[in-house]
Amino acid sequence: MNLLISLIVILYLIGVGVVLSPVVESNWSSASASGLVTSVGQALPEALAWPVRFYHRVADRR
């Protein structure tokens, strides 16, 4: 059971990283550190909700 929970948490965090990667990549060299943190902070709620968007995308196909 612990292994299953660990796997779910790891997959969730990988998904958050995947969603945030374009934001970090676009601001990594062009923005200051505070600008990078601000842009990541603005994108974080959307990144944390990626399972919901994935579910709706899959459910709408049926």
Side-chain angles (χ1 to χ4, degrees):
M1 185 65 176
N2 288 339
L3 181 63
L4 179 63
I5 293 172
S6 299
L7 183 62
I8 290 170
V9 169
I10 289 169
L11 289 175
Y12 178 76
L13 292 176
I14 289 172
V16 169
V18 167
V19 173
L20 286 177
S21 65
V23 175
V24 172
E25 185 177 354
S26 67
N27 293 320
W28 185 259
S29 60
S30 62
S32 63
S34 63
L36 177 64
V37 170
T38 302
S39 62
V40 168
Q42 290 174 347
L44 194 59
E46 181 180 334
L48 293 175
W50 75 265
V52 175
R53 285 193 324 276
F54 179 75
Y55 172 76
H56 285 292
R57 196 172 349 152
V58 170
D60 288 342
R61 289 183 185 173
R62 294 181 184 192

